[in-house]
Amino acid sequence: MSVALDKRQTTVRNHKTGREENVSSLHPIFKEELHFVAYQPPPLQSSDTAAYEEWLERMTFIENDLQWLLRLQYDSFWCQAVFDGTLQNCLDSYLRFAPRSYDGVEHLPETGREKQQTVHRLVFMVCVRMATYKESKDYFMTPAVFGDILYENFLFDIPKIMDLCVLYGAGNGQLLSKMIGNIFTHQRKYEDDLRATVPTVLQVFDNILDQCGLGSDQLTMEPHRLEEQLPGTDLVNMPLSQLQDIVTYLGDTSATLNAFLEIYPSGCHDFHEEGFLVRLASFYERIFSEMRTAIKERPWPTDSSKQSIRKKLNQGRHHFVKLFRQILHVCCLQPVIEQSATGHDVEGYIEDFISVMSASLSERRFLAAYEEKYPAQDDLDILTQTSYTIDETRLSFISQGIASAVEAYGKKQHRVDSSSSQETEGQASFGDDDSGQQRSPPDGSEHQPGYMAQAGACAAKMSGVEMDSLISSVRDLLPDLGEGFIELCLEEFLYDVEKVINAVLEDKLPPSLTDLDRTLPRELAPAPHSSSVLDERQNVFDNDEFDVFRRDKIDTTKVYKGKREKNPLGTEVLDDKSTRQSLKPLFDLYGSVDADSIYDKSLYSDAMYEDEYDDTYDSNAIGAEDADSADELSARRQFVTPRILRGTTREQEDDSDEAEDEEHEYKRDQFIQDPAVLREQAAQRRASQAGSRRNFDVKGQGKGKGQGEEVLRNRTWKEKNKGLKANHNRRALADRKRGK
């Protein structure tokens, strides 16, 4: 039966006494005398041949030593790992100084990159073997002893574990997660060390703020004297190397913490219990805005160094926001999602989330950056879908606070002026950087409404008079500025005069305005084509031959100016009596009343036309088969001379009218009837109505004589229906009165 390494005994000879002794197989006497060299980072410039050759030789030694170590048996490997201090120094130096994934070794030659990759892989294999207590059924170790060996001999500690995560987490996340879980499982003291690490990280944040002049003791509410140094100015005046160290340290710390918590999510609870989230948001709010301002304002030897620092700062911002999200998701949101499905109580997790977000509402710059990558509305929707009843006022308060932060400090796409030149690499604004992360505008400008993503494309344009008034207001305080420069500033800040003046006085203009000439004159817009009323009118006579507004040539011979005289042509026609002689014989015939018919005259029989004759059915033999005689069918009606052609006198017409009146007597229409007849008819109608009306006796007999049933019944009916008469139907009577 196999025995664990920690319980296995080996017989050895004592050189001093010469006796054989039984010692543990895990003993320093089994350690090989080998010196492992420490790791050094590659040279920054491969052109330095001597430094590069020295580094390459060192890497060769490390490679050979680690390969020899991995070929050792299980017991020999552990003796070398536990008791060889040079091995621990080699591993620790590599974990501390090895280039991270965001640093890169592209400047090294191909041989150097291959050597770095080989050592990188060997270090990871050594660490994985040290984190495994059982390799086979013959080579293993007691789990409890294994945990003690790791902890007591400092084979692993919290900084080493974090460095392992940031170095190997991207490509070996699953294996690394199992390895670290194995370490924390078999040695619970690492949990205590991790819990003690959180205050240390927070103290590091405070130390960074103190070095930057942003410590709590320097940010008092008391007014400062003019000669005193204001908070934040140390970043501008501090040595460049110190500023680079601070920015690099921020980026490395945030990336390391983020990688560790992604590989080992259980560690998020230790950070959350120490109030790490609120402190993290506060640190972000105070440090990064001042850092951006310092990078923008301080002089730089080269543009490449400025861009390198700016890139690392943006990486730090990205990792800090991601770190906040990781802890918040693991400690608050993920338990809500998992336990709400099983019916467990999620009240505590929801309250933690609301408490953290409410406490972070004052850190508006941080909230704007967080909202850009992780919309808070999605998290609030998760909370509202649970069975726990949440006060809508608290959620609304959080939503409104985040919306206000985004409105004040959110980003928008910068407007590109046609007059401004393209930005060079050294003058690039905070947009998309090389790492793919969104850059932010410098502090003091990112919070302006001009950077709002919501209002940038929807901002209303000012008219000429309103723009002149705003420009005049700015020039009253800043007369040295050009009107063109002021107009561009007003457009960038959404026409807010106060914010334009503050940005100019504090020299916190956005990058799109920084390089412009401040005396830039205003470009007057070309006068728009004045459209007259005649161009806008629409008329039925448009484009006709006399439209002088759309035609250049008009035929003036057809145009008469002034008042036209009466047409003499009509008078001449009326005065021409030449046709009277030719028409006189015809009128003589019509004028004779003694003539039987004008058709008897052979001269005019063919020329005359009977206009009152209906010849519709002349071509049809209508009634030919009837029993009527032929004379009756062929007989013509009696001829009647038209009145206009009659030649009678006025007296004859009067006689004919009297004769007709005698023959046809019409009944006279009496418009006004006889009043007596009308009165008689009205009396008859009243009499008929009175006969049909029922007589209701409500008076009855005198008092004390008693009343009959009919009188009582009439009184009851009158009481119930009194609203139909008397003064109770005023509306009906009023309508009746108006109808008369």
Side-chain angles (χ1 to χ4, degrees), residues 300-313:
W300 292 89
T302 59
D303 290 338
S304 59
S305 60
K306 179 179 180 180
Q307 291 301 318
S308 177
I309 290 297
R310 181 178 292 176
K311 179 180 178 181
K312 291 183 179 180
L313 185 66

Side-chain angles (χ1 to χ4, degrees), residues 123-317:
V123 170
F124 181 67
M125 294 177 64
V126 171
C127 293
V128 170
R129 191 174 185 183
M130 287 194 303
T132 306
Y133 73 94
K134 183 178 181 180
E135 292 185 355
S136 65
K137 63 179 181 179
D138 296 328
Y139 299 103
F140 62 93
M141 193 182 303
T142 305
V145 177
F146 168 75
D148 293 337
I149 291 175
L150 294 182
Y151 189 80
E152 298 297 336
N153 296 278
F154 298 97
L155 298 184
F156 290 102
D157 52 26
I158 298 301
K160 287 183 180 180
I161 294 174
M162 290 184 176
D163 289 335
L164 282 171
C165 293
V166 74
L167 284 173
Y168 302 101
N172 303 277
Q174 185 175 1
L175 179 58
L176 191 61
S177 177
K178 182 179 180 181
M179 166 185 161
I180 295 178
N182 192 30
I183 294 173
F184 278 89
T185 301
H186 295 95
Q187 184 51 266
R188 292 296 179 182
K189 293 182 180 180
Y190 284 110
E191 292 285 354
D192 300 333
D193 292 349
L194 178 60
R195 198 172 295 109
T197 304
V198 179
T200 305
V201 176
L202 296 176
Q203 184 62 40
V204 169
F205 290 166
D206 294 338
N207 294 339
I208 294 176
L209 292 175
D210 293 338
Q211 293 182 16
C212 298
L214 302 173
S216 58
D217 55 340
Q218 300 183 21
L219 296 179
T220 59
M221 299 303 293
E222 299 178 359
H224 295 270
R225 295 181 181 272
L226 295 178
E227 62 272 11
E228 291 181 354
Q229 186 180 20
L230 296 180
T233 55
D234 287 341
L235 289 173
V236 181
N237 301 325
M238 70 168 47
L240 179 59
S241 59
Q242 184 179 358
L243 178 62
Q244 290 177 341
D245 290 342
I246 293 176
V247 174
T248 304
Y249 187 76
L250 280 176
D252 291 343
T253 303
S254 59
T256 302
L257 292 175
N258 187 59
F260 169 71
L261 294 180
E262 285 184 351
I263 297 298
Y264 186 65
S266 300
C268 295
H269 297 281
D270 297 325
F271 283 83
H272 181 59
E273 292 173 0
E274 298 293 334
F276 184 80
L277 291 178
V278 179
R279 294 284 299 275
L280 177 65
S282 176
F283 176 77
Y284 182 100
E285 183 80 9
R286 295 165 61 183
I287 191 65
F288 283 103
S289 60
E290 297 295 336
M291 281 286 186
R292 288 195 297 268
T293 305
I295 293 175
K296 174 179 176 294
E297 295 180 354
R298 67 175 298 126
W300 292 89
T302 59
D303 290 338
S304 59
S305 60
K306 179 179 180 180
Q307 291 301 318
S308 177
I309 290 297
R310 181 178 292 176
K311 179 180 178 181
K312 291 183 179 180
L313 185 66
N314 287 321
Q315 289 175 352
R317 293 177 57 252

